[in-house]
Amino acid sequence: MKSLCACFFTSSVFNSHSHSHWNHNHSHSHSQSQIMAGSISGPSGGNAANILLNHDFSGGLDSWHVNCCDGYVVSAEEVSQLGISMETDGNCAVITSRKECWQGLEQDITSRVSIGSTYIVSALVGISGLSQGSNDVQATLKLEYHDSATSYLFIGRTSVTRGNWKKLEGTFSLSTMPKRVVFYLEGPAPGVDILIRPVEIGCSNPNNNIARTGCVSTGEDNIVINPQFDDGLNNWSGRGCKIALHDSMGDGKILPKSGKFFASATERTQSWNGIQQDITGRVQRKLAYEVTTSVRIFGNNVTTADVRATLYVQTSDLRDQYIGIANVQATDKDWIDMQGKFLLNGSPSKVVIYLEGPPPGTDILVNSLVVKRAPKTPPSTPPDIKGVAFGVNVIENSNLADGTNGWYPLGNCTLSVKTGSPHIMPPMARDSLGPHELLSGRYILVTNRTQTWMGPAQTITDKLKLFVTYQVSAWVRLGSGSSGPQNVNVALGVDNQWVNGGQTEVSDQRWHEIGGSFRIEKQPSKVMVYVQGPASGVDLMVAGLQIFPVDRHARFKYLKSQTDKIRKRDVTLKFSGLDASNYSKTSVQVRQIQNNFPVGTCISRMNIDNEDFVDFFVKHFNWAVFGNELKWYWTEPQQGNFNYKDADDLLNLCQKNKIETRGHCIFWEVDGTVQQWIKALNKTDLMAAVQNRLNGLLTRYKGKFNHYDVNNEMLHGSFYQDRLGKDIRANMFKTANQLDPAATLFVNDYHVEDGCDTRSCPEKYIEHILDLQEQGSPVGGIGIQGHIDSPVGPIVCSSLDKLGILGLPIWFTELDVSSTNEYVRADDLEVMLREAMAHPAVEGLMLWGFWELFMSRDNSHLVNAEGEINEAGKRFLALKQEWLSHSHGNVDQQGQYNFRGFHGTYKVDIVIDTKKVSKTFVLDKGDSPMVVSIDF
């Protein structure tokens, strides 16, 4: 056997934030299509029959092969001479004279394994000889195929120090049967002897016939070994720090939440330091796992800190991946439970779960850690909307005909009723409600305000229904005491949590509309609505406050009509060479193959290792954007250390499948997203780094990305502008345009469309774009991210109307909606998709992902973690089908066939008698009918 692997040492430290990770130079060529990691149902396979021959070395090394080195068998008594003891009788194999790390002990198991079965591997291993510190011992399968290709399947690995036995565990299964399957143990550095006690390979279900019957884990068992530290710290290690075992701490004040012990990660010098366990071989790709742990913090005068559960994955091609599982705000006062889920897309060579997060010097305490197959999420049921009075205001005495009855002051402000407010309904409410009676012209005047939160309030707990979307509408104005712009907000206190019902900025003496929406999905004990916001001492006027359930489906008929007007075109199929007597006998079938309206999604490098993800992606999307892989912090995490491979892989996938791409993003203006090395630069060096970023990225990918988000979220951040001056933003656009003139350059920001953020309201966005254009910026498109909650069509449409006056194409660039109920999530998504399709200024939309566990928000996915399409996903696919045009009939007396269809690609089949003619054409935008000539 040639040299196949580099040596594995455990003294290296992983840094999950600097990305300067320990990399093994492993040259095994893993064939992902042929192999599958398994999940195990128990640490040793119970009493299952062992498929290995002479597994306990009672016959010496019979049936075993020593791989390019020397080996022999010793008894328990003799093994003590090697500096290690055996507590039980038996034999031990010693593999010595090793000159390469891949040299070890192997056995051919071809005739004793079968496709589809899951096998569990267990062995006790030690080391001797020229050992310094710890070494890894690894179990591997060599798979030889009939076409002479050879691949290697990683099974498991354990870290061993001299004088100690460690259990090595893992699982494997085969999806196709190789010509030859060889099991072997390898790993330590040259000169280090491997000591091996009985080795077992058995079926995870001992009742099954091993060689011929598949055996699959029930998934109910914890795959973490020694989860409550009953066996001390065995199978646990520190990640860049020390770990310790305790039965109590803090003079007996800290006791285990359960069991007898807990562990601490101590002497932490980096936030990523913590406690870890290698779970390689115990988790299976494309299956969801649930993690539950109890944690707290201790020391360094820190009372609260973020604790995170993270998965480190080394892929078969040696990529380092980090998967965030869960996080919780832990305290030094009590144990707190943390729960999350994860899924592996590819076949990993190493998987480590660890806890991290608190500042250096603060200990992480963990009482238990459980990793099990995640239970299937039960399907949602449609919400009960019986008895919901759509369009009926839940606010009592909204017209103030009864004075302030039903209202009360929040705080010690004063409420009084005055006249002189608008009689007309605010426009966004009018669009939802249709014709409506005039408002009373009365308003509440709020005086003696000494805090920003003071204002008029009502308790509406019993008037709200779960999972119903409510629209908020009001007129507001400032009274005396105002100086400068003031935010006014309709807020809800839901069990003491603030919920945003909409806000606006007021800087003059005019009445301003507030429009917003909200939804409650968990039964509250109290809900209070109140109007707040202006500085203390500023009088506030509120008129016509309405909160009403909105029937969002009622608007869909109108949106379908609008979509038909702007996304379709008339087509005339004109036939020649066809006898007029045969017109009525000639059948025509028109089928649209693809709608050319851009509907895309966010993808990541991690996703595309999952063939099910890729299949859904290429079938249902014609555009893509990369979640992180093009961002500066990803492509250059440390100065001069570049990573374009992930973006290249994603781009290659898109090009292969003729999927267009957006470049997101060249810069990100928000301070918290900027790498530390950039923050450390002086002004001159920062300017040079910005120029290098532009040159490097846009030269490398010239002509490959149709769009670029040039400087993300400029309405919410100002890192580069603060350090380099106002001109830097315009210069970024100008330089990008010079380097890649074909790319359309976008601004991109969030909370533009939902009425809940005065920093990014349409008026502010318009002002921002005009300012850039006045400085010569070639702004070519407007990006609305679209991370929206409980969307209401007229509010979204109002924002689009305002932005549409600029004449620039609008794209929803990061659209996602969130609800715990899949049917409500589907409604949210349908609202956004229909509003986009029905608005002439919108030229494309991108979802911010679709697969569970790879979304930026919980409860926003369309496809569950293990591949089931949920109700939101079904709604999405139904809309995609609705937006394909099909028609059939016969040629008319003028020798023509007319239909109206969505823009896109069509196939036409024409049949007369036994003759069939087919033609493909593309229907582009246009005002006049498109004529397609078909010659017989």
Side-chain angles (χ1 to χ4, degrees):
M1 184 184 292
K2 296 186 295 184
S3 175
L4 293 171
C5 63
C7 305
F8 296 87
F9 301 94
T10 59
S11 57
S12 299
V13 171
F14 299 94
N15 181 335
S16 64
H17 301 284
S18 70
H19 296 282
S20 56
H21 307 297
W22 169 48
N23 249 337
H24 298 320
N25 250 337
H26 207 302
S27 60
H28 283 344
S29 173
H30 295 280
S31 174
Q32 292 189 20
S33 62
Q34 305 295 330
I35 59 181
M36 180 172 64
S39 63
I40 89 172
S41 63
S44 63
N47 298 316
N50 194 342
I51 69 169
L52 288 173
L53 303 177
N54 188 27
H55 74 284
D56 59 359
F57 309 109
S58 58
L61 289 177
D62 284 353
S63 303
W64 293 94
H65 174 67
V66 179
N67 193 358
C68 302
C69 52
D70 296 327
Y72 56 94
V73 173
V74 297
S75 65
E77 183 178 350
E78 293 169 321
V79 81
S80 62
Q81 300 174 15
L82 301 175
I84 190 170
S85 61
M86 290 173 55
E87 298 174 359
T88 58
D89 292 336
N91 295 329
C92 168
V94 181
I95 311 302
T96 188
S97 302
R98 300 176 58 256
K99 296 180 176 59
E100 301 286 350
C101 66
W102 50 265
Q103 293 175 345
L105 188 66
E106 68 181 35
Q107 184 172 141
D108 189 324
I109 58 173
T110 309
S111 62
R112 284 162 274 139
V113 291
S114 61
I115 297 171
S117 297
T118 299
Y119 300 98
I120 186 164
V121 177
S122 176
L124 279 177
V125 294
I127 57 173
S128 183
L130 302 176
S131 173
Q132 297 292 329
S134 60
N135 276 252
D136 281 352
V137 178
Q138 174 175 314
T140 307
L141 280 190
K142 179 183 178 183
L143 309 173
E144 297 177 3
Y145 293 91
H146 293 278
D147 59 0
S148 300
T150 299
S151 64
Y152 296 86
L153 171 58
F154 171 86
I155 299 173
R157 179 190 300 136
T158 189
S159 180
V160 189
T161 57
R162 185 169 181 172
N164 296 295
W165 294 102
K166 290 294 291 290
K167 182 173 283 189
L168 189 160
E169 295 178 307
T171 64
F172 68 88
S173 62
L174 302 174
S175 59
T176 60
M177 193 63 203
K179 179 178 69 175
R180 187 166 180 256
V181 181
V182 178
F183 167 81
Y184 65 101
L185 296 166
E186 59 169 338
V192 177
D193 296 345
I194 308 175
L195 311 181
I196 307 168
R197 289 170 66 181
V199 186
E200 295 182 359
I201 301 180
C203 179
S204 60
N205 184 347
N207 295 321
N208 283 342
N209 180 312
I210 289 244
R212 296 290 170 231
T213 308
C215 41
V216 181
S217 166
T218 63
E220 297 177 355
D221 298 314
N222 186 6
I223 67 170
V224 173
I225 301 172
N226 187 25
Q228 289 194 294
F229 310 100
D230 294 324
D231 194 19
L233 294 174
N234 283 338
N235 296 101
W236 295 94
S237 61
R239 191 173 185 84
C241 62
K242 293 182 179 179
I243 61 173
L245 184 69
H246 309 271
D247 55 14
S248 68
M249 284 180 71
D251 297 325
K253 295 179 181 178
I254 301 176
L255 298 172
K257 180 180 179 181
S258 62
K260 298 178 180 179
F261 305 102
F262 61 92
S264 67
T266 188
E267 298 186 27
R268 299 174 60 254
T269 59
Q270 303 288 337
S271 62
W272 53 265
N273 294 158
I275 184 169
Q276 65 181 3
Q277 183 168 136
D278 190 324
I279 57 172
T280 309
R282 285 177 264 151
V283 285
Q284 185 171 325
R285 67 186 294 255
K286 301 200 297 184
L287 295 181
Y289 291 88
E290 185 175 73
V291 177
T292 306
T293 183
S294 295
V295 296
R296 64 189 294 170
I297 57 173
F298 178 78
N300 202 29
N301 294 318
V302 176
T303 58
T304 62
D306 191 48
V307 174
R308 299 188 295 274
T310 306
L311 203 70
Y312 164 71
V313 178
Q314 186 179 66
T315 64
S316 57
D317 60 353
L318 304 184
R319 294 174 184 268
D320 290 334
Q321 297 176 342
Y322 295 86
I323 301 174
I325 301 171
N327 69 285
V328 72
Q329 197 68 20
T331 76
D332 64 345
K333 300 293 190 296
D334 205 354
W335 295 99
I336 187 166
D337 291 335
M338 175 167 61
Q339 190 174 62
K341 294 199 295 186
F342 70 86
L343 175 136
L344 298 177
N345 287 299
S347 298
S349 64
K350 189 178 182 72
V351 184
V352 177
I353 189 169
Y354 65 99
L355 301 178
E356 60 169 337
T362 302
D363 292 354
I364 302 173
L365 311 185
V366 55
N367 186 212
S368 62
L369 181 66
V370 176
V371 179
K372 293 183 177 182
R373 279 288 307 279
K376 296 284 186 183
T377 303
S380 301
T381 56
D384 179 13
I385 59 172
K386 293 178 182 176
V388 175
F390 290 113
V392 176
N393 191 6
V394 304
I395 296 295
E396 180 182 352
N397 188 26
S398 175
N399 64 7
L400 304 173
D402 196 12
T404 59
N405 186 45
W407 298 87
Y408 56 87
L410 188 61
N412 57 5
C413 57
T414 302
L415 308 184
S416 59
V417 176
K418 305 292 181 181
T419 58
S421 60
H423 287 274
I424 61 169
M425 182 79 66
M428 287 183 281
R430 188 170 64 242
D431 288 345
S432 288
L433 296 171
H436 205 273
E437 64 183 33
L438 295 177
L439 301 180
S440 68
R442 291 183 285 267
Y443 65 91
I444 294 177
L445 174 64
V446 190
T447 56
N448 300 320
R449 299 178 62 257
T450 58
Q451 300 289 337
T452 59
W453 47 265
M454 290 184 178
Q458 278 196 25
T459 299
I460 57 173
T461 313
D462 298 332
K463 300 177 182 179
L464 303 179
K465 195 172 180 67
L466 296 184
F467 294 106
V468 172
T469 300
Y470 290 86
Q471 186 169 343
V472 178
S473 174
W475 290 112
V476 294
R477 180 180 170 183
L478 298 181
S480 61
S482 171
S483 60
Q486 303 285 327
N487 277 359
V488 182
N489 168 228
V490 177
L492 294 103
V494 181
D495 290 340
N496 299 316
Q497 288 189 335
W498 176 74
V499 174
N500 191 348
Q503 58 182 300
T504 189
E505 185 179 89
V506 181
S507 59
D508 52 34
Q509 296 300 306
R510 295 183 297 116
W511 288 95
H512 290 256
E513 177 184 16
I514 283 185
S517 60
F518 70 91
R519 183 170 58 234
I520 297 174
E521 300 194 350
K522 183 180 179 182
Q523 188 61 52
S525 58
K526 181 181 179 181
V527 180
M528 173 183 65
V529 60
Y530 58 104
V531 186
Q532 59 150 9
S536 60
V538 177
D539 293 348
L540 174 62
M541 307 177 194
V542 181
L545 176 63
Q546 296 212 48
I547 295 178
F548 55 91
V550 57
D551 183 0
R552 297 183 295 174
H553 286 257
R555 182 174 166 85
F556 290 168
K557 182 178 180 181
Y558 162 76
L559 294 176
K560 288 179 182 180
S561 172
Q562 290 298 105
T563 300
D564 187 86
K565 291 177 183 177
I566 67 172
R567 306 294 177 194
K568 285 185 176 181
R569 183 180 178 185
D570 291 325
V571 180
T572 296
L573 304 180
K574 201 165 189 176
F575 299 94
S576 59
L578 186 64
D579 191 280
S581 63
N582 289 323
Y583 285 169
S584 61
K585 304 174 185 176
T586 304
S587 68
V588 179
Q589 184 167 11
V590 180
R591 182 169 56 90
Q592 186 170 10
I593 301 169
Q594 185 177 35
N595 188 315
N596 68 5
F597 183 82
V599 177
T601 183
C602 167
I603 60 175
S604 75
R605 178 58 188 82
M606 198 178 297
N607 296 144
I608 66 172
D609 291 331
N610 185 335
E611 58 273 18
D612 299 334
F613 177 98
V614 173
D615 183 61
F616 191 94
F617 166 56
V618 299
K619 281 183 179 177
H620 302 299
F621 298 97
N622 54 12
W623 277 69
V625 62
F626 308 161
N628 290 303
E629 287 79 358
L630 212 65
K631 291 171 181 169
W632 197 0
Y633 64 64
W634 193 277
T635 62
E636 194 178 5
Q638 292 90 33
Q639 190 169 16
N641 178 18
F642 294 98
N643 169 27
Y644 288 113
K645 185 169 184 355
D646 294 333
D648 289 348
D649 287 352
L650 293 172
L651 190 59
N652 289 339
L653 174 69
C654 293
Q655 291 174 334
K656 176 183 175 183
N657 290 282
K658 298 180 180 179
I659 292 173
E660 306 288 346
T661 49
R662 301 192 75 251
H664 176 77
C665 52
I666 305 175
F667 301 101
W668 197 345
E669 191 71 274
V670 176
D671 185 278
T673 67
V674 179
Q675 306 96 297
Q676 286 301 319
W677 72 263
I678 294 176
K679 291 182 177 181
L681 299 176
N682 60 39
K683 183 176 180 179
T684 301
D685 290 341
L686 178 58
M687 184 66 81
V690 166
Q691 188 62 45
N692 290 338
R693 163 68 171 171
L694 285 160
N695 288 335
L697 186 74
L698 278 85
T699 301
R700 180 184 183 90
Y701 294 115
K702 184 175 182 179
K704 295 182 179 179
F705 289 100
N706 301 66
H707 300 172
Y708 278 106
D709 295 328
V710 176
N711 192 5
N712 199 36
E713 297 173 3
M714 288 182 277
L715 296 176
H716 290 91
S718 57
F719 173 84
Y720 296 101
Q721 180 173 268
D722 291 345
R723 287 156 180 79
L724 300 176
K726 184 179 180 181
D727 292 344
I728 189 60
R729 291 177 167 181
N731 290 337
M732 288 172 174
F733 274 86
K734 293 174 186 176
T735 305
N737 180 246
Q738 291 166 3
L739 291 168
D740 193 351
T744 304
L745 304 182
F746 274 69
V747 291
N748 192 49
D749 230 301
Y750 61 91
H751 285 329
V752 176
E753 76 290 358
D754 55 12
C756 71
D757 189 343
T758 57
R759 294 172 296 176
S760 53
C761 63
E763 293 80 6
K764 291 282 184 68
Y765 210 10
I766 291 168
E767 183 182 333
H768 169 63
I769 294 166
L770 292 175
D771 184 54
L772 286 169
Q773 290 178 329
E774 286 172 7
Q775 296 178 71
S777 299
V779 179
I782 302 171
I784 300 175
Q785 290 184 8
H787 302 292
I788 190 169
D789 293 309
S790 52
V792 171
I795 296 175
V796 175
C797 185
S798 172
S799 298
L800 295 174
D801 287 345
K802 292 171 183 176
L803 291 168
I805 66 171
L806 293 175
L808 294 172
I810 298 172
W811 279 59
F812 283 102
T813 55
E814 305 179 19
L815 177 62
D816 60 17
V817 294
S818 178
S819 174
T820 56
N821 185 290
E822 294 170 6
Y823 289 88
V824 176
R825 192 187 316 158
D827 286 346
D828 284 353
L829 185 63
E830 184 170 1
V831 167
M832 296 304 295
L833 295 180
R834 288 200 184 278
E835 292 293 340
M837 284 293 285
H839 202 284
V842 177
E843 295 192 6
L845 64 90
M846 310 290 294
L847 302 186
W848 202 242
F850 58 87
W851 200 279
E852 185 184 12
L853 302 184
F854 298 95
M855 308 292 294
S856 65
R857 294 202 292 168
D858 291 337
N859 303 310
S860 59
H861 55 282
L862 313 185
V863 181
N864 297 340
E866 296 182 5
E868 304 93 347
I869 300 172
N870 60 32
E871 289 301 323
K874 292 174 184 176
R875 188 78 59 87
F876 169 73
L877 296 181
L879 287 169
K880 292 270 291 179
Q881 283 298 313
E882 180 184 317
W883 294 327
L884 293 175
S885 298
H886 307 299
S887 179
H888 66 276
N890 295 94
V891 176
D892 65 18
Q893 292 304 309
Q894 286 73 43
Q896 298 178 168
Y897 183 82
N898 301 300
F899 75 96
R900 182 172 176 82
F902 286 103
H903 308 138
T905 304
Y906 286 82
K907 183 182 179 184
V908 183
D909 291 326
I910 307 100
V911 179
I912 177 172
D913 295 330
T914 59
K915 184 178 181 181
K916 179 179 179 181
V917 174
S918 298
K919 185 179 181 67
T920 300
F921 68 92
V922 175
L923 177 59
D924 294 317
K925 294 180 182 179
D927 296 327
S928 60
M930 179 177 177
V931 177
V932 179
S933 297
I934 299 176
D935 187 3
F936 266 78

